[in-house]
Amino acid sequence: MAAALDLEKLRMAGAGMALAVLTSGGDAQGMNAAVRAVTRMGIYVGAKVFLIYEVRFNIFFCHSQGGGTIIGSARCKAFTTREGRLLAAYNLVQHGITNLCVIGGDGSLTGANIFRTEWGGLLEQLVKDGKITKEVAKKYCHLNIVGLVGSIDNDFCGTDMTIGTDSALHRIMEVIDAITTTAQSHQRTFVLEVMGRHCGYLALVSALASGADWLFIPEAPPEDGWEDFMCARLGETRSRGSRLNIIIIAEGAIDRNGKPISSSYVKDLVVQRLGFDTRVTVLGHVQRGGTPSAFDRVLSSKMGMEAVMALLEATPDTPACVVSLSGNQSVRLPLMECVQVTKEVQKAMDEKRFEEAIQLRGRSFENNWNIYKLLAHQKIAHEKTHFSLAILNVGAPAAGMNAAVRSAVRIGISQGHTVYVVNDGFEGLSKGQIRKVGWHDVAGWLGRGGSMLGTKRTLPKTSMEKIVENVRKFNIHSLLVVGGFEGWGSHTCSNSDICANEPSLLSSAQSCDRIKQSASGTKRRVFIVETMGGYCGYLSTVTGIAVGADAAYVYEDPFTIHDLKVNVEHLTEKMKTDIQRGLVLRNEKCHEHYTTEFLYNLYSSEGRGIFDCRINVLGHLQQGGAPTPFDRNYGTKLGVKAMLWMSEKLQEAYRKGRVFANSADSACVIGLRKKMVAFSPVTELKKVTDFEHRLPQEQWWLNLRLMLKMLANYQISLTEYISGKMEHVTRRTLSIEKGF
């Protein structure tokens, strides 16, 4: 991380620098957000920014109004030849461009690195051909390249998520949710084919997020005789009352001998062996379509800004790098190290070293695979334990709660424990609304929004005696509480860098998209939008980044009337240009006096004659809807890890027929902190919690505020920017337990 002074010097170094951005290979949702971020960050540091259309190296200058331009993506055959690269080098030099940001897959990035290594020789050839002078060649003697991985397959080793993957998962889950209703109506089996010729990530995560009965991915071909096992599994599921079966298959699925497994073959197999009404759905390019998810917009924006910083810091000795995501942190990885490991995955698959191929995909992929296998089919516990565990929801409902409960129930049962669920939180626990559950009692919970158990804000202290009585009556040794700040009453709280809130974020982003679209074709208009979140401004901030808001007011970033004046004047000047829409977000409790109505009146008064204003209060719309793929996946994994942790602690604390839970770590909170899933003792969390406002004293996401303001074109200091560190990609780093 560079010091504040160094960052400001770095920013000044951008003056006069010329950089270009291109998108190459298959398109991926979120690429436009990355182009916008690179463009605006480049202009922010004083650079000239060019856009390269259709990878033809026909270069256009982009002014600040050009952020977000759709520049097209293609696979340029000419660039695979030296003649094509020679022409590209000439075009770049003509515009003084020696910094290139490439957004694409491994093929595009590998080609860009070849271009970089040949750069000196290409300039020599141009001098020899009389196209440029020796002075020009000397002036532009070095080419810097930074890559952003845009690939819906998430097939690039070293990064947790690539641009477009989350959006593609949204498309898949929308189809699966729609299919589920019709399949249940007709008792059908659906074979769903998703993209992934060489990588099974989309198939794997969608299977995990939908509870699919069977999964085919190229990294893990089924054992010989799989046809018998699969049909037996499907028949068993139906015999237990299930009205549907879902089989997910990656387009590159193969058997142990490398023979392709087609969706039509699987369908015919089910029909012939079981007689089930079976249909095939091939998703195809619908997975690349639609608007990008909120996650992809924010990811692309973070990566785009970091790419410009990496170009600013690059020297002739700096290797070409890829800006990547690790946990929720931006990092820089040597491009060719990533490419090499990615190639090793395919080599391992070709040589039938399938377990190694899964490991080379990274720990996150491996975790997904192992957890899918754990939860897809009930395994009989080796022996019954002495322990009984109860699961309940508290606080406000949040999409993803049901996924966490489902996985915790199933892991608890597989461990041999007696598992209870409690309806209506602590109030239900006090009233004895407790029931024992089995494996199939939580079937179908993954895609359900809200809380299937019911949740209330009642704190345990209001009826502690009755709660203790019921804990003794049911001999409950451990409680798993899934919920919000109300969990403090049972010695738990939220201390996660990421929590189950993406449906709220998605809902906010979609609502703001529609609000902005509603002004299209009308006179200039500014929307004041109020979001939920209590005193926490996360939703407002991240939604603001995702939709390109002009300002987002939050409690954690105090603001004064002077700040409001600057914001109003900034927006007024923007609206005097050809911009027709403005968007201002306000977290519901960001300020006692500067209410949503106050902001409306302020902006309306100052914008009179230039723009008019409208108010939108999103309200509980943000809490509704089906959980996103991320929240289904995240909730599932936290439920698994929480239950395994509880099992381990119970074993440690069990002596002479009793459980002695009197140590600090007997009450913990699980969450993602930076790159790691961590269990934090509540006694430690109390020291860093603001109980009055129900917040951590330090909010990890506050550094995103800088990005929001920069992308809104405010000229602010770089001193708070946190640069990504250069990290290496090896088999050891791929095996490290990281985020989801």
Side-chain angles (χ1 to χ4, degrees):
M1 192 196 318
L5 186 61
D6 293 337
L7 283 170
E8 278 304 298
K9 285 182 180 177
L10 198 61
R11 176 188 176 187
M12 294 169 65
M17 166 185 171
L19 68 90
V21 56
L22 64 89
T23 54
S24 176
D27 60 316
Q29 307 97 318
M31 280 183 166
N32 288 332
V35 171
R36 171 181 178 266
V38 171
T39 300
R40 292 202 167 180
M41 186 64 173
I43 293 168
Y44 170 79
V45 300
K48 292 181 180 179
V49 182
F50 297 83
L51 303 182
I52 298 174
Y53 284 73
E54 304 286 353
V55 206
R56 307 300 184 204
F57 283 85
N58 298 319
I59 301 174
F60 298 81
F61 184 66
C62 174
H63 296 279
S64 59
Q65 294 86 353
T69 304
I70 299 172
I71 59 177
S73 183
R75 293 178 171 92
C76 181
K77 290 184 179 178
F79 195 68
T80 62
T81 67
R82 184 174 173 84
E83 291 74 16
R85 294 192 290 274
L86 191 66
L87 178 60
Y90 176 73
N91 286 333
L92 290 181
V93 168
Q94 288 296 100
H95 293 83
I97 297 169
T98 55
N99 298 278
L100 198 57
C101 177
V102 180
I103 307 169
D106 61 338
S108 302
L109 297 178
T110 302
N113 192 61
I114 292 171
F115 186 45
R116 177 178 179 268
T117 57
E118 288 182 348
W119 182 257
L122 294 172
L123 294 193
E124 286 180 13
Q125 184 67 46
L126 290 172
V127 171
K128 185 177 179 181
D129 295 344
K131 295 286 188 70
I132 63 173
T133 65
K134 289 183 178 180
E135 290 72 25
V136 168
K138 185 177 180 181
K139 184 177 180 181
Y140 303 120
C141 62
H142 180 71
L143 178 68
N144 298 315
I145 285 182
V146 170
L148 304 182
V149 189
S151 167
I152 67 167
D153 292 333
N154 202 28
D155 56 354
F156 198 75
C157 290
T159 182
D160 288 355
M161 287 289 276
T162 57
I163 295 170
T165 302
D166 187 68
S167 300
L169 285 171
H170 275 71
R171 301 294 93 77
I172 295 170
M173 295 314 303
E174 286 165 6
V175 171
I176 291 176
D177 288 347
I179 279 175
T180 298
T181 56
T182 185
Q184 287 177 328
S185 300
H186 296 277
Q187 293 197 56
R188 281 187 176 138
T189 295
F190 268 89
V191 180
L192 190 78
E193 182 180 308
V194 302
M195 282 186 166
R197 282 197 305 274
H198 306 292
C199 179
Y201 185 87
L202 289 178
L204 173 55
V205 175
S206 55
L208 185 62
S210 64
D213 298 277
W214 200 269
L215 167 67
F216 296 93
I217 58 174
E219 292 89 347
E223 299 289 344
D224 293 340
W226 62 267
E227 293 92 340
D228 297 332
F229 293 127
M230 184 187 76
C231 290
R233 175 88 56 84
L234 299 180
E236 180 187 340
T237 305
R238 283 292 178 94
S239 68
R240 287 182 167 160
S242 174
R243 294 181 60 82
L244 82 155
N245 299 112
I246 291 182
I247 300 166
I248 295 180
I249 179 169
E251 61 180 327
I254 53 174
D255 64 17
R256 288 271 157 177
N257 299 310
K259 180 183 176 184
I261 299 175
S262 68
S263 50
S264 58
Y265 176 75
V266 174
K267 175 213 168 184
D268 293 342
L269 188 68
V270 175
V271 171
Q272 292 165 11
R273 299 255 189 122
L274 299 171
F276 292 170
D277 184 2
T278 306
R279 306 295 165 91
V280 172
T281 298
V282 179
L283 266 64
H285 281 73
V286 71
Q287 294 159 89
R288 292 191 187 278
T291 57
S293 67
F295 180 92
D296 267 325
R297 300 185 202 191
V298 176
L299 172 69
S300 300
S301 298
K302 287 176 72 174
M303 286 184 170
M305 290 184 65
E306 183 63 28
V308 174
M309 296 300 290
L311 287 172
L312 282 176
E313 295 177 12
T315 69
D317 298 324
T318 305
C321 75
V322 174
V323 175
S324 172
L325 179 73
S326 181
N328 58 13
Q329 307 291 306
S330 294
V331 296
R332 303 173 193 175
L333 307 172
L335 169 59
M336 292 317 294
E337 287 184 13
C338 297
V339 170
Q340 183 57 42
V341 177
T342 303
K343 288 180 177 178
E344 286 181 22
V345 177
Q346 188 60 50
K347 184 180 178 184
M349 291 162 60
D350 293 341
E351 296 175 359
K352 300 182 181 180
R353 293 180 280 114
F354 298 112
E355 288 187 11
E356 187 178 346
I358 287 177
Q359 292 167 1
L360 287 169
R361 284 285 182 215
R363 193 58 181 269
S364 179
F365 189 99
E366 188 178 0
N367 280 343
N368 284 329
W369 175 240
N370 290 333
I371 290 174
Y372 172 75
K373 290 189 294 182
L374 270 177
L375 299 175
H377 181 63
Q378 183 174 3
K379 289 83 177 169
I380 305 301
H382 295 300
E383 59 181 60
K384 191 76 176 165
T385 70
H386 307 286
F387 306 124
S388 298
L389 304 93
I391 305 169
L392 66 157
N393 295 160
V394 299
M401 276 182 162
N402 297 323
V405 173
R406 169 188 175 268
S407 64
V409 165
R410 291 193 166 182
I411 292 299
I413 291 170
S414 69
Q415 294 277 305
H417 308 319
T418 300
V419 181
Y420 296 99
V421 292
V422 182
N423 294 107
D424 297 334
F426 288 112
E427 186 176 313
L429 187 58
S430 69
K431 293 179 178 178
Q433 294 172 207
I434 304 166
R435 59 189 170 90
K436 183 180 176 182
V437 287
W439 184 275
H440 295 282
D441 292 327
V442 291
W445 283 31
L446 267 169
R448 303 290 291 272
S451 168
M452 296 290 287
L453 295 180
T455 178
K456 292 191 175 181
R457 295 184 182 274
T458 308
L459 296 175
K461 62 183 179 182
T462 58
S463 51
M464 188 62 77
E465 289 184 7
K466 290 183 178 179
I467 289 175
V468 172
E469 182 182 324
N470 281 319
V471 167
R472 285 176 176 164
K473 177 181 175 181
F474 288 88
N475 196 30
I476 295 170
H477 299 100
S478 184
L479 278 179
L480 175 58
V481 182
V482 183
F485 209 86
E486 284 75 10
W488 264 112
S490 64
H491 293 305
T492 129
C493 81
S494 176
N495 188 51
S496 175
D497 282 359
I498 296 178
C499 50
N501 57 18
E502 206 186 73
S504 301
L505 180 56
L506 178 66
S507 174
S508 300
Q510 288 176 337
S511 298
C512 290
D513 284 345
R514 290 167 187 152
I515 287 167
K516 289 173 75 175
Q517 288 167 2
S518 73
S520 181
T522 68
K523 66 177 184 177
R524 289 176 174 79
R525 181 163 291 165
V526 172
F527 292 93
I528 314 293
V529 179
E530 181 183 303
T531 67
M532 295 178 76
Y535 286 97
C536 179
Y538 175 83
L539 278 181
S540 291
T541 297
V542 180
T543 300
I545 295 169
V547 300
D550 297 282
Y553 300 112
V554 302
Y555 170 78
E556 296 93 338
D557 190 3
F559 57 98
T560 65
I561 194 67
H562 171 73
D563 298 309
L564 293 176
K565 179 175 180 290
V566 170
N567 294 155
V568 171
E569 290 174 350
H570 180 79
L571 189 52
T572 302
E573 289 304 309
K574 283 177 68 173
M575 297 293 272
K576 288 178 181 177
T577 64
D578 57 355
I579 295 172
Q580 287 192 314
R581 295 179 295 281
L583 182 65
V584 175
L585 299 173
R586 178 189 178 274
N587 187 63
E588 59 183 346
K589 292 187 178 181
C590 66
H591 200 285
E592 182 182 1
H593 303 298
Y594 299 147
T595 62
T596 303
E597 187 175 357
F598 176 90
L599 293 180
Y600 167 75
N601 290 331
L602 176 65
Y603 277 85
S604 295
S605 177
E606 296 300 316
R608 189 169 290 124
I610 302 169
F611 58 82
D612 65 3
C613 291
R614 293 289 187 274
I615 286 180
N616 289 87
V617 179
L618 299 184
H620 282 75
L621 168 74
Q622 297 159 87
Q623 283 188 341
T628 64
F630 174 89
D631 271 316
R632 298 183 202 201
N633 193 352
Y634 188 53
T636 295
K637 288 182 175 179
L638 289 189
V640 169
K641 286 187 172 288
M643 187 57 74
L644 292 175
W645 178 86
M646 289 168 69
S647 295
E648 182 182 332
K649 292 297 176 184
L650 285 170
Q651 293 286 355
E652 291 175 1
Y654 186 72
R655 293 188 295 276
K656 297 180 180 179
R658 297 178 63 189
V659 173
F660 294 86
N662 48 18
S663 61
D665 66 350
S666 63
C668 281
V669 175
I670 181 176
L672 181 64
R673 301 180 66 184
K674 295 187 177 177
K675 301 178 186 179
M676 308 289 288
V677 173
F679 290 90
S680 304
V682 171
T683 50
E684 293 180 11
L685 298 183
K686 285 181 177 179
K687 303 170 188 174
V688 293
T689 302
D690 175 356
F691 285 92
E692 179 185 354
H693 300 102
R694 300 156 63 96
L695 295 170
Q697 290 175 1
E698 291 187 12
Q699 294 278 47
W700 71 270
W701 50 267
L702 278 175
N703 58 28
L704 297 178
R705 302 277 304 165
L706 190 70
M707 177 163 64
L708 171 70
K709 294 171 184 175
M710 283 181 179
L711 294 180
N713 207 23
Y714 287 90
Q715 290 300 310
I716 57 175
S717 171
L718 249 186
T719 52
E720 296 176 15
Y721 187 85
I722 300 175
S723 294
K725 297 178 180 178
M726 180 68 83
E727 298 183 0
H728 291 280
V729 182
T730 64
R731 292 189 179 222
R732 189 191 69 79
T733 62
L734 290 171
S735 68
I736 295 173
E737 183 80 47
K738 291 192 290 188
F740 306 136

